[in-house]
Amino acid sequence: MPRLVAVSNRTAADAASRAGGLAVALWDALVDCGGAWFGWSGDVVEQERRGLRSFVDEGVEFALADLTQEEYDGFYLGYANRSLWPTFHYRVDLATFNEEDFAVYDAVNRRFARLIKTRLRDDDILWVHDYHFLLLGE
């Protein structure tokens, strides 16, 4: 059976966060196939750490990466939340675009793609959930 691999900005790595939303929709499917869930750890660090922090819970592999302060500012607060979120929610009037934020967004997508690629199997089904990772598939 192929393994479902989910990629999202936030994950359900904290069992307390499995009460609603994306976690409820995915959890049973990930448990049933021994899936994996990749995403941001929620931590902002001074210096980029190599690799992913991973652990297994109920047969689901979680693989998490931190963001540096620069990445958090440009990727998360900047391009994802000031450009994409308003655009995708029909609030283009609130959207701001700048090249520096996009460059960081692109770099974070590339870094996460490199990290995730090392953990993928040939028959995995990869589902990229969030607009935070629009460029990851490239």
Side-chain angles (χ1 to χ4, degrees):
M1 176 158 120
R3 180 177 74 149
L4 175 62
V5 176
V7 180
S8 60
N9 182 55
R10 303 280 180 158
T11 71
D14 176 2
S17 68
R18 296 180 194 154
L22 179 62
V24 169
L26 275 179
W27 189 249
D28 287 340
L30 290 171
V31 169
D32 286 349
C33 70
W37 201 336
F38 294 94
W40 175 35
S41 67
D43 293 335
V44 177
V45 296
E46 287 184 33
Q47 233 177 324
E48 179 183 320
R49 296 180 182 153
R50 292 181 183 245
L52 294 161
R53 286 184 288 156
S54 62
F55 64 93
V56 176
D57 186 5
E58 294 187 43
V60 177
E61 176 190 6
F62 286 94
L64 310 172
D66 301 326
L67 294 177
T68 65
Q69 187 66 54
E70 178 187 8
E71 290 172 333
Y72 178 75
D73 292 342
F75 162 79
Y76 183 73
L77 293 178
Y79 199 74
N81 288 336
R82 288 190 198 114
S83 302
L84 296 177
W85 189 94
T87 301
F88 289 168
H89 292 86
Y90 306 103
R91 291 305 311 266
V92 179
D93 59 310
L94 299 176
T96 60
F97 301 90
N98 80 47
E99 291 179 30
E100 293 82 16
D101 285 347
F102 179 76
V104 176
Y105 177 85
D106 180 53
V108 169
N109 270 258
R110 290 177 187 277
R111 179 166 69 89
F112 272 64
R114 283 191 304 274
L115 291 169
I116 292 165
K117 186 177 179 181
T118 66
R119 302 284 184 96
L120 292 178
R121 303 174 190 162
D122 288 340
D123 65 342
D124 282 343
I125 298 170
L126 185 64
W127 177 43
V128 180
H129 174 74
D130 283 330
Y131 59 86
H132 297 82
F133 295 112
L134 286 175
L135 305 178
L136 192 132
E138 184 183 341

